[in-house]
Structure formats: structure tokens, C-alpha cells
Amino acid sequence: MSKQVGFIGLGRMGEPMALRLVAAGYELVVYDVRPESVAALTAKGALAAASSAAVASAVDTVLLSLPTPPIVREVALGAGGVASGSKVKTVIDLSTTGASAAREIAAALAAKGITAVDSPVSGGVAGAVAGTLAVMVAGPRALCTELEPMLAVFGKVFFVGERPGMGQTMKLANNLLSATAMAATAEAVVFGVKSGLDPSVMCDVINAGSGRNTASMDKVPRQVITRKFAQGFATGLMYKDVRLCLEEAEAAGVPMSVAAGVRALWARANEELGADSDMTAIVQLIERAAGVEVKSK
Ligand code: NAD
């Protein structure tokens, strides 16, 4: 494939991923509604385009890293969007949108002769910077094989299926577990602190025991106990992922009673802490009710 690619959405995840592509020798044509995000890329040699359509008129392969399904739909198919570009042949969506949106967008793009590839990612901002993300690719196998060297710049590439949306289903299953681990670990640690335990000691024990998970190993020690709350994943986006997972599980006829409780807690976090708060701040809901803070003694 050509070493010239487009990148739309240069946020917490998109910026470090786009920078890795530049460092790997790809020539990027970029667009974001926030000019300061574009400047971070042009400073490293990327070309700025005036719109999503302009990106798609300059290159045949366009990557998207955007917040929500409605925004992905608008950028892909709306006025001034990717589908109105003259050169684009492949759109790779790195965002988390859910399978139904991915299928719908893929069908609308196919009608214009453009192939959609799902490629949601997991591993957070740190993984995006280090190139250690899990990359969940779904699309025509030959095309995915052709794209693999480029996607490998982001981390470990897993081909999960040919049908549009299969990568998204994989990602929602992963994020349900991540959201559950954060919520449940917050409850467990606040319970321990209220009862007199040190949260750092608690994490050490949990991480040597059977409760070990991504929150006990990483998020609670690095972001909660330090009171930094700077994991880099917004509460509103995590709430979106849990909501999408439950909607799609319900449509698939799969009961999810644990997930329903997890969604209720993330809904409260979104409401009370705000969609832009860091997802690790969810612990504050439980701290407030318990009247303690998770800090080292
Ligand atoms: P973000 O909000 O930091 O970045 C999104 C970027 O899209 C912003 O720079 C914004 O200006 C830009 N944007 C919004 N509307 C646009 C439009 N119409 N045209 C062009 N650009 C537009 O979000 P993020 O945390 O980088 O997440 C991006 C996607 O990746 C989301 O779907 C999220 O669920 C997923 N994700 C995030 C993480 C994480 O840890 N942050 C991890 C894995 C997956």
C-alpha cells in the first residue's frame, strides 16, 4: 500500500497514533476540528487538510479516531465528509462505535465504492504512545493483510473476522470488562480504606492474588492513590462503551445482569462527575458516600 495516508481525529488517542505513523515513515494528511491538534502533527511534517473530504481527496486510505458513533457517521458520510472525497478507497475506523453503527456506515460507504475496516484499539493513551495497543481488525481478509504492517505501528494486530462490526463487538466485550474492573475495584478499595486498610497494601495483595485486574494493577495505584486522575480516557466515552455493549447484547439476545449494574454506576459518574472527567474518578462517587478518600497512609 501507499505510504501516504489520511488521519482524522487527533485527540488523546489519535494524536499519539498519528505521530507514530509519521515516525514510521508514513506521509500523513490530517484533519481535526481543533486547530491546535492539527498543529501538533504539522510540526512533525504532516500535511493539514481543510476538511474530512479534503483528506479523502488527497489519499486512498483514511484512518478515523473520533469520539462517538454520531460523529463517526457525520465525518464518514455527512456533508464535507470522507465519502465525498475523490480518491479514498478504504476507511479504517479506530474509534469505538459498536457493531451496528459500523455495519450501517460500512454499507453506506460500500455504496460509494469505499471499503470500511473496523479497527478499534485497547490499551489507553500510554499504549497509543508506546505502540502497545491491542488492535482488533475486521474486514476483507486480503485487505486486512495488506493493512497489517501499518496497523502494527499501533501495537499487536488481531484479525477477528471478515464481517464489518466484528472488531467492534470484540472491543465492546473488552471494554465491558475494563469498565467492570474499574467500578468493582473502586468499591473494593473504598471498602478496605473505610475499614482501616492501606490502599497501596491492598493493591499489592490483590495483584498477588485472585482479584488482580487492570484497575488494581494500573489505574488505582497510578491514578487514584496518587489523586492524579489522569488516565486519559473520559468518563463519557467509557459510559458510551458500556451502553453500546448492553444495547448490542440485548439485540443479540444475551442477558447481562452484571453489566446492567456497571452501566448504572457509569451513568451516575457521567451525570455527577461530568462526561469530560477522567474515568478513574468514578471512585469519588463511592468515596463520597463512604466519607473516605483512597490515599496512601
Ligand atoms: P478525544 O475526544 O480525545 O479525541 C477525539 C478527537 O476527535 C478530538 O481531537 C476532536 O477534536 C476530534 N473531532 C471531534 N469531532 C470531529 C469532527 N467532526 N471532525 C474532525 N475531528 C473531530 O477522544 P479519544 O480519547 O482520543 O478517543 C477516540 C476514540 O477512541 C473514541 O471512540 C474512544 O472510545 C476510543 N478509545 C479511547 C481510548 C482512551 O484511552 N482514550 C482507548 C481506546 C479507545
Side-chain angles (χ1 to χ4, degrees), residues 52-53 55-57 59-64 75-78 81-93 102-117 140 143 164:
S52 296
V55 172
S57 292
V59 298
D60 57 19
T61 302
V62 177
L63 295 131
L64 310 177
V75 168
L77 306 170
V82 172
S84 48
S86 57
K87 199 167 170 188
V88 61
K89 287 273 162 280
T90 305
V91 173
I92 304 165
D93 190 10
R103 281 194 296 267
E104 174 210 318
I105 293 165
L109 288 173
K112 304 223 171 202
I114 303 164
T115 306
V117 172
L143 176 60

PDB file of all heavy atoms in Angstrom, residues 52-53 55-57 59-64 75-78 81-93 102-117 140 143 164:
ATOM      1  N   SER A  52     -12.601  16.905   6.207  1.00  0.00           N
ATOM      2  CA  SER A  52     -12.502  15.448   6.053  1.00  0.00           C
ATOM      3  C   SER A  52     -12.536  15.081   4.572  1.00  0.00           C
ATOM      4  O   SER A  52     -11.798  14.185   4.127  1.00  0.00           O
ATOM      5  CB  SER A  52     -13.666  14.770   6.793  1.00  0.00           C
ATOM      6  OG  SER A  52     -13.550  15.024   8.167  1.00  0.00           O
ATOM      7  N   ALA A  53     -13.397  15.769   3.793  1.00  0.00           N
ATOM      8  CA  ALA A  53     -13.475  15.490   2.350  1.00  0.00           C
ATOM      9  C   ALA A  53     -12.133  15.780   1.675  1.00  0.00           C
ATOM     10  O   ALA A  53     -11.707  15.031   0.781  1.00  0.00           O
ATOM     11  CB  ALA A  53     -14.579  16.335   1.715  1.00  0.00           C
ATOM     12  N   VAL A  55      -9.167  15.512   3.021  1.00  0.00           N
ATOM     13  CA  VAL A  55      -8.268  14.382   3.326  1.00  0.00           C
ATOM     14  C   VAL A  55      -8.547  13.256   2.328  1.00  0.00           C
ATOM     15  O   VAL A  55      -7.630  12.681   1.727  1.00  0.00           O
ATOM     16  CB  VAL A  55      -8.479  13.863   4.783  1.00  0.00           C
ATOM     17  CG1 VAL A  55      -7.686  12.585   5.023  1.00  0.00           C
ATOM     18  CG2 VAL A  55      -8.106  14.937   5.805  1.00  0.00           C
ATOM     19  N   ALA A  56      -9.847  12.969   2.142  1.00  0.00           N
ATOM     20  CA  ALA A  56     -10.251  11.833   1.307  1.00  0.00           C
ATOM     21  C   ALA A  56     -10.068  12.094  -0.182  1.00  0.00           C
ATOM     22  O   ALA A  56     -10.175  11.171  -0.990  1.00  0.00           O
ATOM     23  CB  ALA A  56     -11.700  11.474   1.617  1.00  0.00           C
ATOM     24  N   SER A  57      -9.799  13.327  -0.549  1.00  0.00           N
ATOM     25  CA  SER A  57      -9.470  13.634  -1.953  1.00  0.00           C
ATOM     26  C   SER A  57      -7.963  13.578  -2.189  1.00  0.00           C
ATOM     27  O   SER A  57      -7.500  13.615  -3.323  1.00  0.00           O
ATOM     28  CB  SER A  57      -9.993  15.024  -2.339  1.00  0.00           C
ATOM     29  OG  SER A  57     -11.396  14.999  -2.364  1.00  0.00           O
ATOM     30  N   VAL A  59      -5.790  11.182  -0.467  1.00  0.00           N
ATOM     31  CA  VAL A  59      -5.202   9.853  -0.222  1.00  0.00           C
ATOM     32  C   VAL A  59      -6.237   8.759  -0.437  1.00  0.00           C
ATOM     33  O   VAL A  59      -7.443   9.020  -0.403  1.00  0.00           O
ATOM     34  CB  VAL A  59      -4.677   9.741   1.241  1.00  0.00           C
ATOM     35  CG1 VAL A  59      -3.573  10.735   1.523  1.00  0.00           C
ATOM     36  CG2 VAL A  59      -5.819   9.929   2.226  1.00  0.00           C
ATOM     37  N   ASP A  60      -5.769   7.508  -0.631  1.00  0.00           N
ATOM     38  CA  ASP A  60      -6.766   6.440  -0.834  1.00  0.00           C
ATOM     39  C   ASP A  60      -7.126   5.695   0.452  1.00  0.00           C
ATOM     40  O   ASP A  60      -8.090   4.933   0.495  1.00  0.00           O
ATOM     41  CB  ASP A  60      -6.344   5.477  -1.957  1.00  0.00           C
ATOM     42  CG  ASP A  60      -4.995   4.839  -1.701  1.00  0.00           C
ATOM     43  OD1 ASP A  60      -4.548   4.839  -0.539  1.00  0.00           O
ATOM     44  OD2 ASP A  60      -4.396   4.335  -2.674  1.00  0.00           O
ATOM     45  N   THR A  61      -6.362   5.908   1.527  1.00  0.00           N
ATOM     46  CA  THR A  61      -6.639   5.220   2.800  1.00  0.00           C
ATOM     47  C   THR A  61      -6.774   6.261   3.909  1.00  0.00           C
ATOM     48  O   THR A  61      -5.867   7.079   4.109  1.00  0.00           O
ATOM     49  CB  THR A  61      -5.484   4.248   3.141  1.00  0.00           C
ATOM     50  OG1 THR A  61      -5.367   3.319   2.057  1.00  0.00           O
ATOM     51  CG2 THR A  61      -5.746   3.491   4.429  1.00  0.00           C
ATOM     52  N   VAL A  62      -7.914   6.228   4.625  1.00  0.00           N
ATOM     53  CA  VAL A  62      -8.176   7.229   5.662  1.00  0.00           C
ATOM     54  C   VAL A  62      -8.466   6.530   6.984  1.00  0.00           C
ATOM     55  O   VAL A  62      -9.305   5.626   7.056  1.00  0.00           O
ATOM     56  CB  VAL A  62      -9.385   8.125   5.280  1.00  0.00           C
ATOM     57  CG1 VAL A  62      -9.697   9.113   6.398  1.00  0.00           C
ATOM     58  CG2 VAL A  62      -9.114   8.871   3.981  1.00  0.00           C
ATOM     59  N   LEU A  63      -7.758   6.947   8.038  1.00  0.00           N
ATOM     60  CA  LEU A  63      -7.990   6.438   9.389  1.00  0.00           C
ATOM     61  C   LEU A  63      -8.820   7.448  10.167  1.00  0.00           C
ATOM     62  O   LEU A  63      -8.617   8.658  10.031  1.00  0.00           O
ATOM     63  CB  LEU A  63      -6.655   6.236  10.106  1.00  0.00           C
ATOM     64  CG  LEU A  63      -5.745   5.162   9.505  1.00  0.00           C
ATOM     65  CD1 LEU A  63      -4.334   5.703   9.321  1.00  0.00           C
ATOM     66  CD2 LEU A  63      -5.712   3.934  10.384  1.00  0.00           C
ATOM     67  N   LEU A  64      -9.745   6.943  11.002  1.00  0.00           N
ATOM     68  CA  LEU A  64     -10.576   7.805  11.855  1.00  0.00           C
ATOM     69  C   LEU A  64     -10.346   7.446  13.314  1.00  0.00           C
ATOM     70  O   LEU A  64     -10.292   6.259  13.654  1.00  0.00           O
ATOM     71  CB  LEU A  64     -12.067   7.596  11.559  1.00  0.00           C
ATOM     72  CG  LEU A  64     -12.544   7.655  10.110  1.00  0.00           C
ATOM     73  CD1 LEU A  64     -14.051   7.356  10.056  1.00  0.00           C
ATOM     74  CD2 LEU A  64     -12.252   9.016   9.504  1.00  0.00           C
ATOM     75  N   VAL A  75     -18.689  12.350  10.049  1.00  0.00           N
ATOM     76  CA  VAL A  75     -17.393  12.533   9.380  1.00  0.00           C
ATOM     77  C   VAL A  75     -17.275  11.590   8.166  1.00  0.00           C
ATOM     78  O   VAL A  75     -16.727  11.975   7.126  1.00  0.00           O
ATOM     79  CB  VAL A  75     -16.224  12.306  10.381  1.00  0.00           C
ATOM     80  CG1 VAL A  75     -14.884  12.188   9.660  1.00  0.00           C
ATOM     81  CG2 VAL A  75     -16.182  13.435  11.396  1.00  0.00           C
ATOM     82  N   ALA A  76     -17.834  10.392   8.280  1.00  0.00           N
ATOM     83  CA  ALA A  76     -17.731   9.445   7.169  1.00  0.00           C
ATOM     84  C   ALA A  76     -18.687   9.813   6.037  1.00  0.00           C
ATOM     85  O   ALA A  76     -18.291   9.815   4.862  1.00  0.00           O
ATOM     86  CB  ALA A  76     -18.013   8.022   7.655  1.00  0.00           C
ATOM     87  N   LEU A  77     -19.934  10.146   6.419  1.00  0.00           N
ATOM     88  CA  LEU A  77     -20.993  10.203   5.395  1.00  0.00           C
ATOM     89  C   LEU A  77     -21.640  11.577   5.224  1.00  0.00           C
ATOM     90  O   LEU A  77     -22.349  11.802   4.243  1.00  0.00           O
ATOM     91  CB  LEU A  77     -22.114   9.204   5.763  1.00  0.00           C
ATOM     92  CG  LEU A  77     -21.666   7.765   6.009  1.00  0.00           C
ATOM     93  CD1 LEU A  77     -22.807   6.949   6.594  1.00  0.00           C
ATOM     94  CD2 LEU A  77     -21.156   7.119   4.707  1.00  0.00           C
ATOM     95  N   GLY A  78     -21.421  12.502   6.160  1.00  0.00           N
ATOM     96  CA  GLY A  78     -22.104  13.798   6.124  1.00  0.00           C
ATOM     97  C   GLY A  78     -21.542  14.724   5.049  1.00  0.00           C
ATOM     98  O   GLY A  78     -20.598  14.380   4.329  1.00  0.00           O
ATOM     99  N   GLY A  81     -17.841  15.261   4.251  1.00  0.00           N
ATOM    100  CA  GLY A  81     -17.270  14.083   4.894  1.00  0.00           C
ATOM    101  C   GLY A  81     -16.407  13.255   3.949  1.00  0.00           C
ATOM    102  O   GLY A  81     -16.231  13.594   2.769  1.00  0.00           O
ATOM    103  N   VAL A  82     -15.888  12.160   4.502  1.00  0.00           N
ATOM    104  CA  VAL A  82     -14.933  11.319   3.773  1.00  0.00           C
ATOM    105  C   VAL A  82     -15.521  10.774   2.465  1.00  0.00           C
ATOM    106  O   VAL A  82     -14.851  10.755   1.425  1.00  0.00           O
ATOM    107  CB  VAL A  82     -14.477  10.150   4.691  1.00  0.00           C
ATOM    108  CG1 VAL A  82     -13.631   9.147   3.924  1.00  0.00           C
ATOM    109  CG2 VAL A  82     -13.705  10.699   5.892  1.00  0.00           C
ATOM    110  N   ALA A  83     -16.807  10.362   2.517  1.00  0.00           N
ATOM    111  CA  ALA A  83     -17.410   9.729   1.332  1.00  0.00           C
ATOM    112  C   ALA A  83     -17.483  10.686   0.143  1.00  0.00           C
ATOM    113  O   ALA A  83     -17.606  10.242  -0.999  1.00  0.00           O
ATOM    114  CB  ALA A  83     -18.797   9.202   1.675  1.00  0.00           C
ATOM    115  N   SER A  84     -17.401  11.994   0.400  1.00  0.00           N
ATOM    116  CA  SER A  84     -17.441  12.923  -0.738  1.00  0.00           C
ATOM    117  C   SER A  84     -16.045  13.227  -1.292  1.00  0.00           C
ATOM    118  O   SER A  84     -15.907  14.001  -2.239  1.00  0.00           O
ATOM    119  CB  SER A  84     -18.198  14.206  -0.377  1.00  0.00           C
ATOM    120  OG  SER A  84     -17.741  14.708   0.848  1.00  0.00           O
ATOM    121  N   GLY A  85     -15.011  12.593  -0.727  1.00  0.00           N
ATOM    122  CA  GLY A  85     -13.656  12.740  -1.277  1.00  0.00           C
ATOM    123  C   GLY A  85     -13.510  11.976  -2.588  1.00  0.00           C
ATOM    124  O   GLY A  85     -14.224  11.001  -2.820  1.00  0.00           O
ATOM    125  N   SER A  86     -12.555  12.405  -3.427  1.00  0.00           N
ATOM    126  CA  SER A  86     -12.471  11.830  -4.779  1.00  0.00           C
ATOM    127  C   SER A  86     -11.497  10.648  -4.898  1.00  0.00           C
ATOM    128  O   SER A  86     -11.522   9.923  -5.869  1.00  0.00           O
ATOM    129  CB  SER A  86     -12.041  12.937  -5.749  1.00  0.00           C
ATOM    130  OG  SER A  86     -10.811  13.483  -5.314  1.00  0.00           O
ATOM    131  N   LYS A  87     -10.627  10.454  -3.883  1.00  0.00           N
ATOM    132  CA  LYS A  87      -9.581   9.442  -4.050  1.00  0.00           C
ATOM    133  C   LYS A  87      -9.746   8.230  -3.127  1.00  0.00           C
ATOM    134  O   LYS A  87      -9.229   7.142  -3.414  1.00  0.00           O
ATOM    135  CB  LYS A  87      -8.224  10.117  -3.773  1.00  0.00           C
ATOM    136  CG  LYS A  87      -7.043   9.365  -4.336  1.00  0.00           C
ATOM    137  CD  LYS A  87      -5.792  10.231  -4.317  1.00  0.00           C
ATOM    138  CE  LYS A  87      -4.575   9.398  -4.656  1.00  0.00           C
ATOM    139  NZ  LYS A  87      -3.334  10.161  -4.468  1.00  0.00           N
ATOM    140  N   VAL A  88     -10.445   8.422  -2.025  1.00  0.00           N
ATOM    141  CA  VAL A  88     -10.483   7.410  -0.966  1.00  0.00           C
ATOM    142  C   VAL A  88     -11.070   6.074  -1.437  1.00  0.00           C
ATOM    143  O   VAL A  88     -12.062   6.035  -2.149  1.00  0.00           O
ATOM    144  CB  VAL A  88     -11.263   7.958   0.255  1.00  0.00           C
ATOM    145  CG1 VAL A  88     -12.706   8.305  -0.101  1.00  0.00           C
ATOM    146  CG2 VAL A  88     -11.209   6.995   1.416  1.00  0.00           C
ATOM    147  N   LYS A  89     -10.411   4.987  -1.020  1.00  0.00           N
ATOM    148  CA  LYS A  89     -10.891   3.629  -1.346  1.00  0.00           C
ATOM    149  C   LYS A  89     -11.143   2.824  -0.067  1.00  0.00           C
ATOM    150  O   LYS A  89     -11.938   1.903  -0.053  1.00  0.00           O
ATOM    151  CB  LYS A  89      -9.821   2.879  -2.181  1.00  0.00           C
ATOM    152  CG  LYS A  89      -9.707   3.355  -3.605  1.00  0.00           C
ATOM    153  CD  LYS A  89     -10.717   2.602  -4.488  1.00  0.00           C
ATOM    154  CE  LYS A  89     -11.000   3.253  -5.818  1.00  0.00           C
ATOM    155  NZ  LYS A  89     -11.957   4.362  -5.761  1.00  0.00           N
ATOM    156  N   THR A  90     -10.409   3.177   1.028  1.00  0.00           N
ATOM    157  CA  THR A  90     -10.507   2.405   2.280  1.00  0.00           C
ATOM    158  C   THR A  90     -10.620   3.363   3.467  1.00  0.00           C
ATOM    159  O   THR A  90      -9.854   4.327   3.557  1.00  0.00           O
ATOM    160  CB  THR A  90      -9.230   1.541   2.477  1.00  0.00           C
ATOM    161  OG1 THR A  90      -9.062   0.725   1.318  1.00  0.00           O
ATOM    162  CG2 THR A  90      -9.313   0.668   3.708  1.00  0.00           C
ATOM    163  N   VAL A  91     -11.575   3.081   4.355  1.00  0.00           N
ATOM    164  CA  VAL A  91     -11.717   3.856   5.597  1.00  0.00           C
ATOM    165  C   VAL A  91     -11.512   2.895   6.761  1.00  0.00           C
ATOM    166  O   VAL A  91     -12.212   1.880   6.866  1.00  0.00           O
ATOM    167  CB  VAL A  91     -13.109   4.519   5.697  1.00  0.00           C
ATOM    168  CG1 VAL A  91     -13.300   5.172   7.062  1.00  0.00           C
ATOM    169  CG2 VAL A  91     -13.283   5.558   4.600  1.00  0.00           C
ATOM    170  N   ILE A  92     -10.559   3.213   7.628  1.00  0.00           N
ATOM    171  CA  ILE A  92     -10.253   2.355   8.783  1.00  0.00           C
ATOM    172  C   ILE A  92     -10.698   3.109  10.032  1.00  0.00           C
ATOM    173  O   ILE A  92     -10.164   4.186  10.329  1.00  0.00           O
ATOM    174  CB  ILE A  92      -8.738   2.080   8.863  1.00  0.00           C
ATOM    175  CG1 ILE A  92      -8.248   1.456   7.546  1.00  0.00           C
ATOM    176  CG2 ILE A  92      -8.408   1.195  10.053  1.00  0.00           C
ATOM    177  CD1 ILE A  92      -6.744   1.487   7.396  1.00  0.00           C
ATOM    178  N   ASP A  93     -11.666   2.546  10.753  1.00  0.00           N
ATOM    179  CA  ASP A  93     -12.169   3.244  11.933  1.00  0.00           C
ATOM    180  C   ASP A  93     -11.532   2.693  13.200  1.00  0.00           C
ATOM    181  O   ASP A  93     -11.781   1.553  13.593  1.00  0.00           O
ATOM    182  CB  ASP A  93     -13.697   3.130  12.001  1.00  0.00           C
ATOM    183  CG  ASP A  93     -14.267   4.040  13.078  1.00  0.00           C
ATOM    184  OD1 ASP A  93     -13.515   4.870  13.628  1.00  0.00           O
ATOM    185  OD2 ASP A  93     -15.472   3.906  13.375  1.00  0.00           O
ATOM    186  N   ALA A 102     -21.113   0.410  12.897  1.00  0.00           N
ATOM    187  CA  ALA A 102     -20.048   0.034  11.949  1.00  0.00           C
ATOM    188  C   ALA A 102     -20.645  -0.607  10.696  1.00  0.00           C
ATOM    189  O   ALA A 102     -20.239  -0.295   9.571  1.00  0.00           O
ATOM    190  CB  ALA A 102     -19.062  -0.932  12.614  1.00  0.00           C
ATOM    191  N   ARG A 103     -21.649  -1.475  10.893  1.00  0.00           N
ATOM    192  CA  ARG A 103     -22.287  -2.141   9.746  1.00  0.00           C
ATOM    193  C   ARG A 103     -23.018  -1.123   8.868  1.00  0.00           C
ATOM    194  O   ARG A 103     -22.914  -1.158   7.637  1.00  0.00           O
ATOM    195  CB  ARG A 103     -23.290  -3.193  10.239  1.00  0.00           C
ATOM    196  CG  ARG A 103     -22.641  -4.495  10.676  1.00  0.00           C
ATOM    197  CD  ARG A 103     -23.673  -5.600  10.826  1.00  0.00           C
ATOM    198  NE  ARG A 103     -24.644  -5.316  11.878  1.00  0.00           N
ATOM    199  CZ  ARG A 103     -24.528  -5.732  13.147  1.00  0.00           C
ATOM    200  NH1 ARG A 103     -23.486  -6.461  13.506  1.00  0.00           N
ATOM    201  NH2 ARG A 103     -25.451  -5.439  14.032  1.00  0.00           N
ATOM    202  N   GLU A 104     -23.738  -0.228   9.526  1.00  0.00           N
ATOM    203  CA  GLU A 104     -24.520   0.772   8.780  1.00  0.00           C
ATOM    204  C   GLU A 104     -23.578   1.691   7.984  1.00  0.00           C
ATOM    205  O   GLU A 104     -23.806   1.953   6.795  1.00  0.00           O
ATOM    206  CB  GLU A 104     -25.332   1.566   9.818  1.00  0.00           C
ATOM    207  CG  GLU A 104     -26.111   2.745   9.294  1.00  0.00           C
ATOM    208  CD  GLU A 104     -26.236   3.822  10.381  1.00  0.00           C
ATOM    209  OE1 GLU A 104     -26.477   3.495  11.561  1.00  0.00           O
ATOM    210  OE2 GLU A 104     -26.061   5.012  10.020  1.00  0.00           O
ATOM    211  N   ILE A 105     -22.503   2.134   8.612  1.00  0.00           N
ATOM    212  CA  ILE A 105     -21.556   3.036   7.937  1.00  0.00           C
ATOM    213  C   ILE A 105     -20.839   2.283   6.805  1.00  0.00           C
ATOM    214  O   ILE A 105     -20.660   2.810   5.706  1.00  0.00           O
ATOM    215  CB  ILE A 105     -20.564   3.648   8.965  1.00  0.00           C
ATOM    216  CG1 ILE A 105     -21.327   4.580   9.918  1.00  0.00           C
ATOM    217  CG2 ILE A 105     -19.425   4.397   8.263  1.00  0.00           C
ATOM    218  CD1 ILE A 105     -20.573   4.967  11.183  1.00  0.00           C
ATOM    219  N   ALA A 106     -20.481   1.016   7.072  1.00  0.00           N
ATOM    220  CA  ALA A 106     -19.794   0.217   6.041  1.00  0.00           C
ATOM    221  C   ALA A 106     -20.682   0.046   4.811  1.00  0.00           C
ATOM    222  O   ALA A 106     -20.215   0.141   3.661  1.00  0.00           O
ATOM    223  CB  ALA A 106     -19.404  -1.152   6.608  1.00  0.00           C
ATOM    224  N   ALA A 107     -21.999  -0.173   5.036  1.00  0.00           N
ATOM    225  CA  ALA A 107     -22.921  -0.363   3.899  1.00  0.00           C
ATOM    226  C   ALA A 107     -23.032   0.934   3.090  1.00  0.00           C
ATOM    227  O   ALA A 107     -23.006   0.906   1.846  1.00  0.00           O
ATOM    228  CB  ALA A 107     -24.288  -0.805   4.402  1.00  0.00           C
ATOM    229  N   ALA A 108     -23.127   2.064   3.788  1.00  0.00           N
ATOM    230  CA  ALA A 108     -23.255   3.351   3.075  1.00  0.00           C
ATOM    231  C   ALA A 108     -21.968   3.671   2.321  1.00  0.00           C
ATOM    232  O   ALA A 108     -22.008   4.188   1.193  1.00  0.00           O
ATOM    233  CB  ALA A 108     -23.586   4.458   4.073  1.00  0.00           C
ATOM    234  N   LEU A 109     -20.813   3.337   2.905  1.00  0.00           N
ATOM    235  CA  LEU A 109     -19.537   3.577   2.207  1.00  0.00           C
ATOM    236  C   LEU A 109     -19.415   2.635   1.000  1.00  0.00           C
ATOM    237  O   LEU A 109     -18.958   3.049  -0.073  1.00  0.00           O
ATOM    238  CB  LEU A 109     -18.358   3.381   3.166  1.00  0.00           C
ATOM    239  CG  LEU A 109     -18.162   4.466   4.243  1.00  0.00           C
ATOM    240  CD1 LEU A 109     -17.078   4.047   5.228  1.00  0.00           C
ATOM    241  CD2 LEU A 109     -17.813   5.826   3.621  1.00  0.00           C
ATOM    242  N   ALA A 110     -19.841   1.376   1.179  1.00  0.00           N
ATOM    243  CA  ALA A 110     -19.745   0.397   0.079  1.00  0.00           C
ATOM    244  C   ALA A 110     -20.532   0.883  -1.129  1.00  0.00           C
ATOM    245  O   ALA A 110     -20.107   0.685  -2.282  1.00  0.00           O
ATOM    246  CB  ALA A 110     -20.250  -0.967   0.552  1.00  0.00           C
ATOM    247  N   ALA A 111     -21.665   1.546  -0.873  1.00  0.00           N
ATOM    248  CA  ALA A 111     -22.492   2.063  -1.979  1.00  0.00           C
ATOM    249  C   ALA A 111     -21.728   3.112  -2.786  1.00  0.00           C
ATOM    250  O   ALA A 111     -22.083   3.408  -3.926  1.00  0.00           O
ATOM    251  CB  ALA A 111     -23.784   2.647  -1.416  1.00  0.00           C
ATOM    252  N   LYS A 112     -20.684   3.668  -2.191  1.00  0.00           N
ATOM    253  CA  LYS A 112     -19.853   4.666  -2.904  1.00  0.00           C
ATOM    254  C   LYS A 112     -18.527   4.062  -3.347  1.00  0.00           C
ATOM    255  O   LYS A 112     -17.576   4.786  -3.672  1.00  0.00           O
ATOM    256  CB  LYS A 112     -19.571   5.857  -1.984  1.00  0.00           C
ATOM    257  CG  LYS A 112     -20.828   6.490  -1.446  1.00  0.00           C
ATOM    258  CD  LYS A 112     -20.727   7.992  -1.507  1.00  0.00           C
ATOM    259  CE  LYS A 112     -22.071   8.625  -1.177  1.00  0.00           C
ATOM    260  NZ  LYS A 112     -22.224   9.949  -1.668  1.00  0.00           N
ATOM    261  N   GLY A 113     -18.417   2.746  -3.249  1.00  0.00           N
ATOM    262  CA  GLY A 113     -17.193   2.073  -3.704  1.00  0.00           C
ATOM    263  C   GLY A 113     -16.046   2.146  -2.705  1.00  0.00           C
ATOM    264  O   GLY A 113     -14.878   1.944  -3.055  1.00  0.00           O
ATOM    265  N   ILE A 114     -16.373   2.449  -1.437  1.00  0.00           N
ATOM    266  CA  ILE A 114     -15.334   2.564  -0.394  1.00  0.00           C
ATOM    267  C   ILE A 114     -15.482   1.386   0.580  1.00  0.00           C
ATOM    268  O   ILE A 114     -16.587   1.075   1.021  1.00  0.00           O
ATOM    269  CB  ILE A 114     -15.491   3.903   0.378  1.00  0.00           C
ATOM    270  CG1 ILE A 114     -15.428   5.092  -0.589  1.00  0.00           C
ATOM    271  CG2 ILE A 114     -14.443   4.029   1.479  1.00  0.00           C
ATOM    272  CD1 ILE A 114     -15.942   6.406   0.005  1.00  0.00           C
ATOM    273  N   THR A 115     -14.368   0.735   0.925  1.00  0.00           N
ATOM    274  CA  THR A 115     -14.408  -0.397   1.856  1.00  0.00           C
ATOM    275  C   THR A 115     -14.105   0.081   3.270  1.00  0.00           C
ATOM    276  O   THR A 115     -13.127   0.808   3.488  1.00  0.00           O
ATOM    277  CB  THR A 115     -13.359  -1.459   1.448  1.00  0.00           C
ATOM    278  OG1 THR A 115     -13.596  -1.797   0.089  1.00  0.00           O
ATOM    279  CG2 THR A 115     -13.462  -2.704   2.313  1.00  0.00           C
ATOM    280  N   ALA A 116     -14.956  -0.338   4.211  1.00  0.00           N
ATOM    281  CA  ALA A 116     -14.741   0.015   5.625  1.00  0.00           C
ATOM    282  C   ALA A 116     -14.038  -1.133   6.336  1.00  0.00           C
ATOM    283  O   ALA A 116     -14.371  -2.295   6.121  1.00  0.00           O
ATOM    284  CB  ALA A 116     -16.076   0.292   6.300  1.00  0.00           C
ATOM    285  N   VAL A 117     -13.090  -0.775   7.180  1.00  0.00           N
ATOM    286  CA  VAL A 117     -12.394  -1.767   8.017  1.00  0.00           C
ATOM    287  C   VAL A 117     -12.555  -1.311   9.463  1.00  0.00           C
ATOM    288  O   VAL A 117     -12.278  -0.161   9.789  1.00  0.00           O
ATOM    289  CB  VAL A 117     -10.897  -1.848   7.631  1.00  0.00           C
ATOM    290  CG1 VAL A 117     -10.128  -2.717   8.606  1.00  0.00           C
ATOM    291  CG2 VAL A 117     -10.745  -2.367   6.206  1.00  0.00           C
ATOM    292  N   PRO A 140     -12.423  -7.375   4.839  1.00  0.00           N
ATOM    293  CA  PRO A 140     -11.979  -8.381   3.867  1.00  0.00           C
ATOM    294  C   PRO A 140     -10.551  -8.833   4.198  1.00  0.00           C
ATOM    295  O   PRO A 140      -9.666  -7.993   4.400  1.00  0.00           O
ATOM    296  CB  PRO A 140     -12.033  -7.621   2.540  1.00  0.00           C
ATOM    297  CG  PRO A 140     -12.981  -6.488   2.790  1.00  0.00           C
ATOM    298  CD  PRO A 140     -12.852  -6.123   4.226  1.00  0.00           C
ATOM    299  N   LEU A 143      -7.461  -7.462   2.260  1.00  0.00           N
ATOM    300  CA  LEU A 143      -7.211  -6.048   2.549  1.00  0.00           C
ATOM    301  C   LEU A 143      -6.594  -5.893   3.941  1.00  0.00           C
ATOM    302  O   LEU A 143      -5.640  -5.122   4.138  1.00  0.00           O
ATOM    303  CB  LEU A 143      -8.531  -5.258   2.453  1.00  0.00           C
ATOM    304  CG  LEU A 143      -8.467  -3.775   2.814  1.00  0.00           C
ATOM    305  CD1 LEU A 143      -7.488  -3.013   1.909  1.00  0.00           C
ATOM    306  CD2 LEU A 143      -9.863  -3.139   2.717  1.00  0.00           C
ATOM    307  N   PRO A 164     -18.070  -6.585   8.701  1.00  0.00           N
ATOM    308  CA  PRO A 164     -17.972  -5.287   9.379  1.00  0.00           C
ATOM    309  C   PRO A 164     -18.653  -5.368  10.743  1.00  0.00           C
ATOM    310  O   PRO A 164     -19.703  -5.992  10.873  1.00  0.00           O
ATOM    311  CB  PRO A 164     -18.744  -4.332   8.453  1.00  0.00           C
ATOM    312  CG  PRO A 164     -18.924  -5.032   7.163  1.00  0.00           C
ATOM    313  CD  PRO A 164     -18.792  -6.501   7.423  1.00  0.00           C
TER     314      PRO A 164
END
